[in-house]
Amino acid sequence: MAEFVHLHNHSEFSLLDGLSKIKDMVARAKDLGMKAIAITDHGNMYGTINFYKACVETGIKPIIGAEIYIAKRSHLDKEAGVDGDSNHLILLAKNLQGYKNLMKIISIAELEGYYYKPRTDLELLKKYHEGLICLSACLNGFVSEPLVKNQQETAEKRAAELNEIFGQGNFYLELQKHLNIPDQEVLNSKLIEISKKLGIPLVATNDNHYVYQDDAEAQEALLCIQTQNLLTVKGR
C-alpha cells in the first residue's frame, strides 16, 4: 500500500468544531504507520507548538499549516450583509520562510481582517506566498464553492489565479471522501476535470475533525453547541 499522510486536520484549537486532542491525533497517525501529519486549524495557529512537540516526541514529521478564510472582497471590507461570508483554503509551510509567512497571514487576518472570521484575501497571499503550499480545502473552498453552485467559469478562474500565485506544483485540488455528502462526489468529478484542463495536481485528503470513528457523535454534539442546535434536528 502506498504511503499516506493526512494534510487536513482540525484539532481542539478549531474551537467548537475540532474534537481531536493533539497528542491523540499524533499518536494515532504513528499507530497507522504514517511518517508525517499536518495541523490545519480554522484561522489560527494556537496549537502549533504543542503539535510540533508531540510530533517530535512521537518520531513523525510535523507539517505546520492552517485553514484560512478568504474574504469575498478585501479583508478590510466589513460591510453588513455583504462581507459576512468567506471561503476556505489550506496553507502548509514547506520551509522556514513559509512558516514565517503563514504567521504573518494569520496575524493580519486576526488583527485587520476579522469580521465574523479572521479573513485574508488574494492580495495578501500574493505578498506572502513564498514557502507555502496551498490546497483547495472543503466544499466551502475558494474553488469548490462555485463548482457546487455550477459556476464552472468562476471556479476555473479562481483555480488558475491560485496556481499563478503559489506557482506550479505548490497548489493542489483536494479530493475528499465523506459519507452521506452527495455534493462531495459531484465536486470530486468537477475538480478532476479542472485538474486535467489546467494541469493542476490533485491530492487526496479528508476534512478530519476527530481521531476515532466512535468520536463522531461527540463531534456532532460539539457542532450543536457551536450552532445552538439539537442533535435531533435534521439538516442542521
Side-chain angles (χ1 to χ4, degrees), residues 98 101-102 104-105 108 123-132 166:
N101 280 334
L102 182 60
K104 190 72 175 180
I105 291 169
I108 292 173
E123 291 304 313
L124 285 175
L125 296 185
K126 290 177 183 177
K127 187 174 182 179
Y128 299 110
H129 72 276
E130 186 179 348
L132 290 171
F166 291 96

Side-chain angles (χ1 to χ4, degrees), residues 17-30:
D17 186 44
L19 187 71
S20 305
K21 298 292 189 293
I22 285 177
K23 286 190 175 182
D24 294 343
M25 183 171 70
V26 172
R28 182 58 175 161
K30 179 70 172 182

Side-chain angles (χ1 to χ4, degrees), residues 20 39 77 91 110 119 125 157 170 181-182 194 207 220:
S20 305
I39 186 171
D77 291 326
L91 297 181
E110 289 278 5
R119 306 166 308 143
L125 296 185
K157 179 181 177 182
N170 292 314
I181 305 180
I194 290 182
D207 197 353
E220 280 289 299

Side-chain angles (χ1 to χ4, degrees), residues 6 9-10 18-32 208-220:
H6 275 301
N9 300 287
H10 297 280
L19 187 71
S20 305
K21 298 292 189 293
I22 285 177
K23 286 190 175 182
D24 294 343
M25 183 171 70
V26 172
R28 182 58 175 161
K30 179 70 172 182
D31 290 343
L32 293 172
N208 297 316
H209 289 74
Y210 50 92
V211 177
Y212 297 98
Q213 185 174 356
D214 292 344
D215 296 334
E217 185 175 356
Q219 202 264 337
E220 280 289 299

Side-chain angles (χ1 to χ4, degrees), residues 32-231:
L32 293 172
M34 297 179 184
K35 297 181 179 179
I37 187 172
I39 186 171
T40 57
D41 281 317
H42 283 301
N44 74 75
M45 298 174 67
Y46 303 147
T48 297
I49 301 302
N50 290 342
F51 173 76
Y52 179 85
K53 289 180 177 179
C55 286
V56 171
E57 291 173 0
T58 308
I60 65 177
K61 180 180 179 178
I63 302 173
I64 308 301
E67 184 163 16
I68 63 170
Y69 299 95
I70 298 291
K72 296 293 186 181
R73 302 190 295 172
S74 165
H75 73 287
L76 299 175
D77 291 326
K78 301 176 183 180
E79 183 180 343
V82 177
D83 297 304
D85 292 333
S86 56
N87 292 123
H88 299 173
L89 284 175
I90 296 291
L91 297 181
L92 303 172
K94 65 178 183 179
N95 52 36
L96 180 58
Q97 185 59 53
Y99 178 63
K100 291 179 179 179
N101 280 334
L102 182 60
M103 289 193 290
K104 190 72 175 180
I105 291 169
I106 293 297
S107 296
I108 292 173
E110 289 278 5
L111 297 174
E112 298 179 4
Y114 202 100
Y115 188 66
Y116 293 92
K117 306 288 185 181
R119 306 166 308 143
T120 185
D121 57 34
L122 294 185
E123 291 304 313
L124 285 175
L125 296 185
K126 290 177 183 177
K127 187 174 182 179
Y128 299 110
H129 72 276
E130 186 179 348
L132 290 171
I133 291 174
C134 180
L135 313 182
S136 64
C138 55
L139 284 165
N140 191 36
F142 188 64
V143 176
S144 303
E145 187 198 35
L147 284 178
V148 172
K149 295 179 177 178
N150 294 315
Q151 299 170 355
Q152 184 78 19
E153 185 176 343
T154 298
E156 289 183 6
K157 179 181 177 182
R158 289 182 174 186
E161 189 165 12
L162 288 170
N163 200 43
E164 182 177 356
I165 290 172
F166 291 96
Q168 187 66 31
N170 292 314
F171 173 57
Y172 293 78
L173 299 170
E174 287 189 50
L175 300 181
Q176 301 183 0
K177 182 74 172 181
H178 295 290
L179 297 177
N180 303 319
I181 305 180
D183 283 346
Q184 187 67 60
E185 293 297 326
V186 176
L187 174 62
N188 286 345
S189 298
K190 293 181 178 180
L191 288 171
I192 291 171
E193 290 177 9
I194 290 182
S195 172
K196 292 177 179 178
K197 183 174 182 178
L198 301 182
I200 297 172
L202 299 166
V203 62
T205 71
N206 258 3
D207 197 353
N208 297 316
H209 289 74
Y210 50 92
V211 177
Y212 297 98
Q213 185 174 356
D214 292 344
D215 296 334
E217 185 175 356
Q219 202 264 337
E220 280 289 299
L222 189 67
L223 288 178
C224 285
I225 296 172
Q226 178 199 136
T227 59
Q228 299 181 35
N229 233 317
L230 299 174
L231 283 169

